[in-house]
PDB file of all heavy atoms in Angstrom:
ATOM      1  N   VAL A   1     -26.128  59.254 -73.523  1.00  0.00           N
ATOM      2  CA  VAL A   1     -25.314  58.480 -74.467  1.00  0.00           C
ATOM      3  C   VAL A   1     -24.341  57.598 -73.698  1.00  0.00           C
ATOM      4  O   VAL A   1     -23.853  57.967 -72.640  1.00  0.00           O
ATOM      5  CB  VAL A   1     -24.540  59.379 -75.459  1.00  0.00           C
ATOM      6  CG1 VAL A   1     -25.489  60.165 -76.363  1.00  0.00           C
ATOM      7  CG2 VAL A   1     -23.602  60.332 -74.740  1.00  0.00           C
ATOM      8  N   ALA A   2     -24.097  56.419 -74.261  1.00  0.00           N
ATOM      9  CA  ALA A   2     -23.125  55.503 -73.658  1.00  0.00           C
ATOM     10  C   ALA A   2     -21.727  56.077 -73.813  1.00  0.00           C
ATOM     11  O   ALA A   2     -21.402  56.666 -74.851  1.00  0.00           O
ATOM     12  CB  ALA A   2     -23.210  54.139 -74.325  1.00  0.00           C
ATOM     13  N   VAL A   3     -20.922  55.924 -72.762  1.00  0.00           N
ATOM     14  CA  VAL A   3     -19.518  56.314 -72.830  1.00  0.00           C
ATOM     15  C   VAL A   3     -18.687  55.117 -72.388  1.00  0.00           C
ATOM     16  O   VAL A   3     -19.040  54.410 -71.449  1.00  0.00           O
ATOM     17  CB  VAL A   3     -19.198  57.566 -71.972  1.00  0.00           C
ATOM     18  CG1 VAL A   3     -19.744  58.816 -72.621  1.00  0.00           C
ATOM     19  CG2 VAL A   3     -19.731  57.459 -70.565  1.00  0.00           C
ATOM     20  N   GLU A   4     -17.618  54.895 -73.089  1.00  0.00           N
ATOM     21  CA  GLU A   4     -16.783  53.720 -72.852  1.00  0.00           C
ATOM     22  C   GLU A   4     -16.177  53.739 -71.452  1.00  0.00           C
ATOM     23  O   GLU A   4     -15.675  54.762 -70.999  1.00  0.00           O
ATOM     24  CB  GLU A   4     -15.670  53.675 -73.895  1.00  0.00           C
ATOM     25  CG  GLU A   4     -14.892  52.387 -73.900  1.00  0.00           C
ATOM     26  CD  GLU A   4     -13.911  52.341 -75.058  1.00  0.00           C
ATOM     27  OE1 GLU A   4     -14.316  52.636 -76.199  1.00  0.00           O
ATOM     28  OE2 GLU A   4     -12.741  52.032 -74.793  1.00  0.00           O
ATOM     29  N   GLY A   5     -16.247  52.599 -70.771  1.00  0.00           N
ATOM     30  CA  GLY A   5     -15.555  52.433 -69.502  1.00  0.00           C
ATOM     31  C   GLY A   5     -16.405  52.578 -68.256  1.00  0.00           C
ATOM     32  O   GLY A   5     -15.963  52.227 -67.171  1.00  0.00           O
ATOM     33  N   ILE A   6     -17.619  53.144 -68.384  1.00  0.00           N
ATOM     34  CA  ILE A   6     -18.507  53.277 -67.231  1.00  0.00           C
ATOM     35  C   ILE A   6     -19.936  52.947 -67.656  1.00  0.00           C
ATOM     36  O   ILE A   6     -20.259  52.951 -68.841  1.00  0.00           O
ATOM     37  CB  ILE A   6     -18.457  54.690 -66.598  1.00  0.00           C
ATOM     38  CG1 ILE A   6     -18.899  55.770 -67.582  1.00  0.00           C
ATOM     39  CG2 ILE A   6     -17.077  54.984 -66.033  1.00  0.00           C
ATOM     40  CD1 ILE A   6     -19.066  57.153 -66.968  1.00  0.00           C
ATOM     41  N   SER A   7     -20.785  52.703 -66.672  1.00  0.00           N
ATOM     42  CA  SER A   7     -22.193  52.402 -66.942  1.00  0.00           C
ATOM     43  C   SER A   7     -23.045  53.658 -67.003  1.00  0.00           C
ATOM     44  O   SER A   7     -24.087  53.666 -67.640  1.00  0.00           O
ATOM     45  CB  SER A   7     -22.749  51.475 -65.861  1.00  0.00           C
ATOM     46  OG  SER A   7     -22.048  50.261 -65.852  1.00  0.00           O
ATOM     47  N   ALA A   8     -22.639  54.707 -66.308  1.00  0.00           N
ATOM     48  CA  ALA A   8     -23.402  55.959 -66.311  1.00  0.00           C
ATOM     49  C   ALA A   8     -23.347  56.580 -67.700  1.00  0.00           C
ATOM     50  O   ALA A   8     -22.319  56.524 -68.375  1.00  0.00           O
ATOM     51  CB  ALA A   8     -22.825  56.924 -65.279  1.00  0.00           C
ATOM     52  N   PRO A   9     -24.452  57.205 -68.139  1.00  0.00           N
ATOM     53  CA  PRO A   9     -24.444  57.847 -69.449  1.00  0.00           C
ATOM     54  C   PRO A   9     -23.786  59.220 -69.408  1.00  0.00           C
ATOM     55  O   PRO A   9     -23.734  59.865 -68.360  1.00  0.00           O
ATOM     56  CB  PRO A   9     -25.928  57.989 -69.775  1.00  0.00           C
ATOM     57  CG  PRO A   9     -26.556  58.214 -68.436  1.00  0.00           C
ATOM     58  CD  PRO A   9     -25.753  57.337 -67.482  1.00  0.00           C
ATOM     59  N   GLY A  10     -23.322  59.652 -70.568  1.00  0.00           N
ATOM     60  CA  GLY A  10     -22.924  61.033 -70.741  1.00  0.00           C
ATOM     61  C   GLY A  10     -24.103  61.797 -71.313  1.00  0.00           C
ATOM     62  O   GLY A  10     -25.167  61.231 -71.562  1.00  0.00           O
ATOM     63  N   ILE A  11     -23.900  63.075 -71.544  1.00  0.00           N
ATOM     64  CA  ILE A  11     -24.925  63.937 -72.127  1.00  0.00           C
ATOM     65  C   ILE A  11     -24.527  64.186 -73.579  1.00  0.00           C
ATOM     66  O   ILE A  11     -23.496  64.811 -73.853  1.00  0.00           O
ATOM     67  CB  ILE A  11     -25.049  65.261 -71.343  1.00  0.00           C
ATOM     68  CG1 ILE A  11     -25.461  64.964 -69.902  1.00  0.00           C
ATOM     69  CG2 ILE A  11     -26.040  66.198 -72.025  1.00  0.00           C
ATOM     70  CD1 ILE A  11     -25.392  66.164 -68.970  1.00  0.00           C
ATOM     71  N   GLY A  12     -25.341  63.696 -74.516  1.00  0.00           N
ATOM     72  CA  GLY A  12     -25.020  63.774 -75.936  1.00  0.00           C
ATOM     73  C   GLY A  12     -24.779  65.179 -76.439  1.00  0.00           C
ATOM     74  O   GLY A  12     -24.001  65.387 -77.370  1.00  0.00           O
ATOM     75  N   GLU A  13     -25.406  66.163 -75.854  1.00  0.00           N
ATOM     76  CA  GLU A  13     -25.273  67.551 -76.300  1.00  0.00           C
ATOM     77  C   GLU A  13     -23.971  68.202 -75.854  1.00  0.00           C
ATOM     78  O   GLU A  13     -23.622  69.294 -76.312  1.00  0.00           O
ATOM     79  CB  GLU A  13     -26.473  68.368 -75.799  1.00  0.00           C
ATOM     80  CG  GLU A  13     -27.791  68.011 -76.454  1.00  0.00           C
ATOM     81  CD  GLU A  13     -28.411  66.686 -75.991  1.00  0.00           C
ATOM     82  OE1 GLU A  13     -27.946  66.109 -74.980  1.00  0.00           O
ATOM     83  OE2 GLU A  13     -29.358  66.227 -76.642  1.00  0.00           O
ATOM     84  N   SER A  14     -23.234  67.560 -74.982  1.00  0.00           N
ATOM     85  CA  SER A  14     -21.956  68.096 -74.506  1.00  0.00           C
ATOM     86  C   SER A  14     -20.875  67.868 -75.562  1.00  0.00           C
ATOM     87  O   SER A  14     -20.819  66.806 -76.169  1.00  0.00           O
ATOM     88  CB  SER A  14     -21.550  67.406 -73.205  1.00  0.00           C
ATOM     89  OG  SER A  14     -20.255  67.803 -72.808  1.00  0.00           O
ATOM     90  N   PRO A  15     -19.984  68.839 -75.757  1.00  0.00           N
ATOM     91  CA  PRO A  15     -18.927  68.646 -76.760  1.00  0.00           C
ATOM     92  C   PRO A  15     -17.868  67.632 -76.331  1.00  0.00           C
ATOM     93  O   PRO A  15     -17.210  67.023 -77.167  1.00  0.00           O
ATOM     94  CB  PRO A  15     -18.305  70.029 -76.909  1.00  0.00           C
ATOM     95  CG  PRO A  15     -18.578  70.714 -75.608  1.00  0.00           C
ATOM     96  CD  PRO A  15     -19.903  70.172 -75.141  1.00  0.00           C
ATOM     97  N   LEU A  16     -17.711  67.433 -75.001  1.00  0.00           N
ATOM     98  CA  LEU A  16     -16.681  66.540 -74.501  1.00  0.00           C
ATOM     99  C   LEU A  16     -17.147  65.912 -73.197  1.00  0.00           C
ATOM    100  O   LEU A  16     -17.651  66.608 -72.321  1.00  0.00           O
ATOM    101  CB  LEU A  16     -15.380  67.308 -74.272  1.00  0.00           C
ATOM    102  CG  LEU A  16     -14.169  66.452 -73.902  1.00  0.00           C
ATOM    103  CD1 LEU A  16     -12.946  66.942 -74.640  1.00  0.00           C
ATOM    104  CD2 LEU A  16     -13.931  66.455 -72.416  1.00  0.00           C
ATOM    105  N   ILE A  17     -16.987  64.589 -73.110  1.00  0.00           N
ATOM    106  CA  ILE A  17     -17.406  63.844 -71.924  1.00  0.00           C
ATOM    107  C   ILE A  17     -16.206  63.068 -71.384  1.00  0.00           C
ATOM    108  O   ILE A  17     -15.538  62.358 -72.139  1.00  0.00           O
ATOM    109  CB  ILE A  17     -18.534  62.848 -72.259  1.00  0.00           C
ATOM    110  CG1 ILE A  17     -19.737  63.567 -72.904  1.00  0.00           C
ATOM    111  CG2 ILE A  17     -18.962  62.083 -71.010  1.00  0.00           C
ATOM    112  CD1 ILE A  17     -20.725  62.627 -73.568  1.00  0.00           C
ATOM    113  N   LEU A  18     -15.958  63.204 -70.088  1.00  0.00           N
ATOM    114  CA  LEU A  18     -14.911  62.446 -69.413  1.00  0.00           C
ATOM    115  C   LEU A  18     -15.566  61.338 -68.588  1.00  0.00           C
ATOM    116  O   LEU A  18     -16.339  61.626 -67.669  1.00  0.00           O
ATOM    117  CB  LEU A  18     -14.103  63.347 -68.468  1.00  0.00           C
ATOM    118  CG  LEU A  18     -13.405  64.549 -69.097  1.00  0.00           C
ATOM    119  CD1 LEU A  18     -12.808  65.429 -68.001  1.00  0.00           C
ATOM    120  CD2 LEU A  18     -12.345  64.097 -70.063  1.00  0.00           C
ATOM    121  N   ALA A  19     -15.291  60.088 -68.926  1.00  0.00           N
ATOM    122  CA  ALA A  19     -15.794  58.960 -68.152  1.00  0.00           C
ATOM    123  C   ALA A  19     -14.841  58.749 -66.986  1.00  0.00           C
ATOM    124  O   ALA A  19     -13.630  58.597 -67.184  1.00  0.00           O
ATOM    125  CB  ALA A  19     -15.873  57.710 -69.021  1.00  0.00           C
ATOM    126  N   CYS A  20     -15.366  58.733 -65.758  1.00  0.00           N
ATOM    127  CA  CYS A  20     -14.523  58.738 -64.568  1.00  0.00           C
ATOM    128  C   CYS A  20     -14.881  57.606 -63.617  1.00  0.00           C
ATOM    129  O   CYS A  20     -16.058  57.325 -63.387  1.00  0.00           O
ATOM    130  CB  CYS A  20     -14.695  60.063 -63.836  1.00  0.00           C
ATOM    131  SG  CYS A  20     -14.345  61.518 -64.851  1.00  0.00           S
ATOM    132  N   ARG A  21     -13.822  57.001 -63.031  1.00  0.00           N
ATOM    133  CA  ARG A  21     -13.987  56.000 -61.978  1.00  0.00           C
ATOM    134  C   ARG A  21     -13.367  56.538 -60.699  1.00  0.00           C
ATOM    135  O   ARG A  21     -12.194  56.930 -60.677  1.00  0.00           O
ATOM    136  CB  ARG A  21     -13.298  54.691 -62.361  1.00  0.00           C
ATOM    137  CG  ARG A  21     -14.121  53.872 -63.293  1.00  0.00           C
ATOM    138  CD  ARG A  21     -13.777  52.384 -63.174  1.00  0.00           C
ATOM    139  NE  ARG A  21     -14.269  51.725 -64.359  1.00  0.00           N
ATOM    140  CZ  ARG A  21     -13.502  51.218 -65.321  1.00  0.00           C
ATOM    141  NH1 ARG A  21     -12.195  51.275 -65.228  1.00  0.00           N
ATOM    142  NH2 ARG A  21     -14.051  50.650 -66.365  1.00  0.00           N
ATOM    143  N   VAL A  22     -14.142  56.518 -59.636  1.00  0.00           N
ATOM    144  CA  VAL A  22     -13.702  57.046 -58.346  1.00  0.00           C
ATOM    145  C   VAL A  22     -12.576  56.182 -57.786  1.00  0.00           C
ATOM    146  O   VAL A  22     -12.666  54.953 -57.768  1.00  0.00           O
ATOM    147  CB  VAL A  22     -14.878  57.099 -57.349  1.00  0.00           C
ATOM    148  CG1 VAL A  22     -14.405  57.553 -55.967  1.00  0.00           C
ATOM    149  CG2 VAL A  22     -15.988  58.009 -57.875  1.00  0.00           C
ATOM    150  N   THR A  23     -11.509  56.842 -57.345  1.00  0.00           N
ATOM    151  CA  THR A  23     -10.398  56.135 -56.707  1.00  0.00           C
ATOM    152  C   THR A  23     -10.339  56.408 -55.206  1.00  0.00           C
ATOM    153  O   THR A  23      -9.788  55.618 -54.456  1.00  0.00           O
ATOM    154  CB  THR A  23      -9.047  56.531 -57.332  1.00  0.00           C
ATOM    155  OG1 THR A  23      -8.862  57.941 -57.172  1.00  0.00           O
ATOM    156  CG2 THR A  23      -8.998  56.154 -58.810  1.00  0.00           C
ATOM    157  N   GLU A  24     -10.906  57.535 -54.794  1.00  0.00           N
ATOM    158  CA  GLU A  24     -10.852  57.910 -53.380  1.00  0.00           C
ATOM    159  C   GLU A  24     -11.896  58.971 -53.094  1.00  0.00           C
ATOM    160  O   GLU A  24     -12.201  59.807 -53.949  1.00  0.00           O
ATOM    161  CB  GLU A  24      -9.457  58.461 -53.065  1.00  0.00           C
ATOM    162  CG  GLU A  24      -9.185  58.714 -51.625  1.00  0.00           C
ATOM    163  CD  GLU A  24      -7.742  59.198 -51.374  1.00  0.00           C
ATOM    164  OE1 GLU A  24      -6.887  59.061 -52.267  1.00  0.00           O
ATOM    165  OE2 GLU A  24      -7.497  59.709 -50.267  1.00  0.00           O
ATOM    166  N   VAL A  25     -12.463  58.933 -51.895  1.00  0.00           N
ATOM    167  CA  VAL A  25     -13.389  59.964 -51.432  1.00  0.00           C
ATOM    168  C   VAL A  25     -12.801  60.551 -50.158  1.00  0.00           C
ATOM    169  O   VAL A  25     -12.492  59.822 -49.219  1.00  0.00           O
ATOM    170  CB  VAL A  25     -14.798  59.390 -51.152  1.00  0.00           C
ATOM    171  CG1 VAL A  25     -15.743  60.500 -50.703  1.00  0.00           C
ATOM    172  CG2 VAL A  25     -15.344  58.666 -52.375  1.00  0.00           C
ATOM    173  N   LYS A  26     -12.614  61.870 -50.152  1.00  0.00           N
ATOM    174  CA  LYS A  26     -12.023  62.544 -48.992  1.00  0.00           C
ATOM    175  C   LYS A  26     -13.057  63.483 -48.369  1.00  0.00           C
ATOM    176  O   LYS A  26     -13.392  64.502 -48.965  1.00  0.00           O
ATOM    177  CB  LYS A  26     -10.800  63.353 -49.419  1.00  0.00           C
ATOM    178  CG  LYS A  26      -9.661  62.497 -49.959  1.00  0.00           C
ATOM    179  CD  LYS A  26      -8.453  63.328 -50.326  1.00  0.00           C
ATOM    180  CE  LYS A  26      -7.577  63.676 -49.195  1.00  0.00           C
ATOM    181  NZ  LYS A  26      -6.953  62.645 -48.427  1.00  0.00           N
ATOM    182  N   PRO A  27     -13.557  63.147 -47.178  1.00  0.00           N
ATOM    183  CA  PRO A  27     -14.459  64.068 -46.479  1.00  0.00           C
ATOM    184  C   PRO A  27     -13.681  65.325 -46.068  1.00  0.00           C
ATOM    185  O   PRO A  27     -12.603  65.223 -45.491  1.00  0.00           O
ATOM    186  CB  PRO A  27     -14.906  63.277 -45.252  1.00  0.00           C
ATOM    187  CG  PRO A  27     -14.539  61.852 -45.531  1.00  0.00           C
ATOM    188  CD  PRO A  27     -13.356  61.898 -46.448  1.00  0.00           C
ATOM    189  N   LEU A  28     -14.238  66.494 -46.378  1.00  0.00           N
ATOM    190  CA  LEU A  28     -13.507  67.733 -46.109  1.00  0.00           C
ATOM    191  C   LEU A  28     -14.266  68.717 -45.223  1.00  0.00           C
ATOM    192  O   LEU A  28     -13.672  69.672 -44.757  1.00  0.00           O
ATOM    193  CB  LEU A  28     -13.155  68.426 -47.436  1.00  0.00           C
ATOM    194  CG  LEU A  28     -12.264  67.638 -48.384  1.00  0.00           C
ATOM    195  CD1 LEU A  28     -12.111  68.382 -49.692  1.00  0.00           C
ATOM    196  CD2 LEU A  28     -10.906  67.381 -47.754  1.00  0.00           C
ATOM    197  N   GLY A  29     -15.536  68.529 -45.041  1.00  0.00           N
ATOM    198  CA  GLY A  29     -16.357  69.508 -44.311  1.00  0.00           C
ATOM    199  C   GLY A  29     -17.708  69.575 -44.994  1.00  0.00           C
ATOM    200  O   GLY A  29     -18.434  68.587 -45.014  1.00  0.00           O
ATOM    201  N   THR A  30     -18.033  70.725 -45.567  1.00  0.00           N
ATOM    202  CA  THR A  30     -19.322  70.855 -46.255  1.00  0.00           C
ATOM    203  C   THR A  30     -19.397  69.983 -47.503  1.00  0.00           C
ATOM    204  O   THR A  30     -20.485  69.611 -47.934  1.00  0.00           O
ATOM    205  CB  THR A  30     -19.596  72.308 -46.691  1.00  0.00           C
ATOM    206  OG1 THR A  30     -18.557  72.747 -47.572  1.00  0.00           O
ATOM    207  CG2 THR A  30     -19.720  73.228 -45.491  1.00  0.00           C
ATOM    208  N   HIS A  31     -18.254  69.668 -48.112  1.00  0.00           N
ATOM    209  CA  HIS A  31     -18.188  68.868 -49.337  1.00  0.00           C
ATOM    210  C   HIS A  31     -17.227  67.699 -49.146  1.00  0.00           C
ATOM    211  O   HIS A  31     -16.301  67.785 -48.347  1.00  0.00           O
ATOM    212  CB  HIS A  31     -17.679  69.715 -50.518  1.00  0.00           C
ATOM    213  CG  HIS A  31     -18.635  70.761 -50.968  1.00  0.00           C
ATOM    214  ND1 HIS A  31     -18.951  71.872 -50.217  1.00  0.00           N
ATOM    215  CD2 HIS A  31     -19.349  70.871 -52.122  1.00  0.00           C
ATOM    216  CE1 HIS A  31     -19.817  72.623 -50.878  1.00  0.00           C
ATOM    217  NE2 HIS A  31     -20.077  72.036 -52.027  1.00  0.00           N
ATOM    218  N   ASP A  32     -17.461  66.647 -49.906  1.00  0.00           N
ATOM    219  CA  ASP A  32     -16.502  65.550 -50.008  1.00  0.00           C
ATOM    220  C   ASP A  32     -15.850  65.648 -51.377  1.00  0.00           C
ATOM    221  O   ASP A  32     -16.509  65.958 -52.378  1.00  0.00           O
ATOM    222  CB  ASP A  32     -17.175  64.187 -49.854  1.00  0.00           C
ATOM    223  CG  ASP A  32     -17.531  63.873 -48.400  1.00  0.00           C
ATOM    224  OD1 ASP A  32     -17.304  64.729 -47.525  1.00  0.00           O
ATOM    225  OD2 ASP A  32     -18.045  62.766 -48.167  1.00  0.00           O
ATOM    226  N   LEU A  33     -14.573  65.378 -51.413  1.00  0.00           N
ATOM    227  CA  LEU A  33     -13.802  65.425 -52.652  1.00  0.00           C
ATOM    228  C   LEU A  33     -13.730  64.020 -53.243  1.00  0.00           C
ATOM    229  O   LEU A  33     -13.248  63.097 -52.592  1.00  0.00           O
ATOM    230  CB  LEU A  33     -12.392  65.947 -52.366  1.00  0.00           C
ATOM    231  CG  LEU A  33     -11.453  66.079 -53.549  1.00  0.00           C
ATOM    232  CD1 LEU A  33     -11.904  67.216 -54.462  1.00  0.00           C
ATOM    233  CD2 LEU A  33     -10.029  66.331 -53.059  1.00  0.00           C
ATOM    234  N   PHE A  34     -14.244  63.877 -54.452  1.00  0.00           N
ATOM    235  CA  PHE A  34     -14.149  62.614 -55.181  1.00  0.00           C
ATOM    236  C   PHE A  34     -12.959  62.707 -56.126  1.00  0.00           C
ATOM    237  O   PHE A  34     -12.952  63.544 -57.041  1.00  0.00           O
ATOM    238  CB  PHE A  34     -15.419  62.351 -56.003  1.00  0.00           C
ATOM    239  CG  PHE A  34     -16.611  61.957 -55.182  1.00  0.00           C
ATOM    240  CD1 PHE A  34     -17.412  62.928 -54.594  1.00  0.00           C
ATOM    241  CD2 PHE A  34     -16.937  60.623 -55.003  1.00  0.00           C
ATOM    242  CE1 PHE A  34     -18.518  62.570 -53.837  1.00  0.00           C
ATOM    243  CE2 PHE A  34     -18.044  60.252 -54.248  1.00  0.00           C
ATOM    244  CZ  PHE A  34     -18.838  61.228 -53.664  1.00  0.00           C
ATOM    245  N   LEU A  35     -11.950  61.884 -55.904  1.00  0.00           N
ATOM    246  CA  LEU A  35     -10.820  61.778 -56.810  1.00  0.00           C
ATOM    247  C   LEU A  35     -11.157  60.661 -57.780  1.00  0.00           C
ATOM    248  O   LEU A  35     -11.634  59.596 -57.367  1.00  0.00           O
ATOM    249  CB  LEU A  35      -9.544  61.463 -56.057  1.00  0.00           C
ATOM    250  CG  LEU A  35      -9.168  62.432 -54.934  1.00  0.00           C
ATOM    251  CD1 LEU A  35      -7.929  61.947 -54.207  1.00  0.00           C
ATOM    252  CD2 LEU A  35      -8.966  63.817 -55.472  1.00  0.00           C
ATOM    253  N   ALA A  36     -10.903  60.875 -59.062  1.00  0.00           N
ATOM    254  CA  ALA A  36     -11.312  59.873 -60.048  1.00  0.00           C
ATOM    255  C   ALA A  36     -10.330  59.806 -61.201  1.00  0.00           C
ATOM    256  O   ALA A  36      -9.771  60.824 -61.634  1.00  0.00           O
ATOM    257  CB  ALA A  36     -12.700  60.198 -60.575  1.00  0.00           C
ATOM    258  N   GLU A  37     -10.160  58.592 -61.714  1.00  0.00           N
ATOM    259  CA  GLU A  37      -9.344  58.380 -62.900  1.00  0.00           C
ATOM    260  C   GLU A  37     -10.236  58.522 -64.128  1.00  0.00           C
ATOM    261  O   GLU A  37     -11.364  58.019 -64.157  1.00  0.00           O
ATOM    262  CB  GLU A  37      -8.707  56.998 -62.874  1.00  0.00           C
ATOM    263  CG  GLU A  37      -7.737  56.793 -64.013  1.00  0.00           C
ATOM    264  CD  GLU A  37      -6.912  55.528 -63.880  1.00  0.00           C
ATOM    265  OE1 GLU A  37      -6.976  54.859 -62.828  1.00  0.00           O
ATOM    266  OE2 GLU A  37      -6.190  55.218 -64.841  1.00  0.00           O
TER     267      GLU A  37
END
């Protein structure tokens, strides 16, 4: 399903969808942390 503010779709079956835009990526080791508004 379309969600306002981003091009990526949400999942219609989910009760709540947060549309997020990445503001920063922090490499940490095994994982990178995506900070998003």
Side-chain angles (χ1 to χ4, degrees):
V1 296
V3 287
E4 190 173 312
I6 61 172
S7 299
I11 299 170
E13 291 75 12
S14 174
L16 187 138
I17 304 166
L18 301 173
C20 304
R21 280 206 198 110
V22 176
T23 60
E24 188 177 345
V25 181
K26 296 182 82 60
L28 299 175
T30 59
H31 291 69
D32 284 3
L33 181 70
F34 287 84
L35 304 176
E37 186 170 352

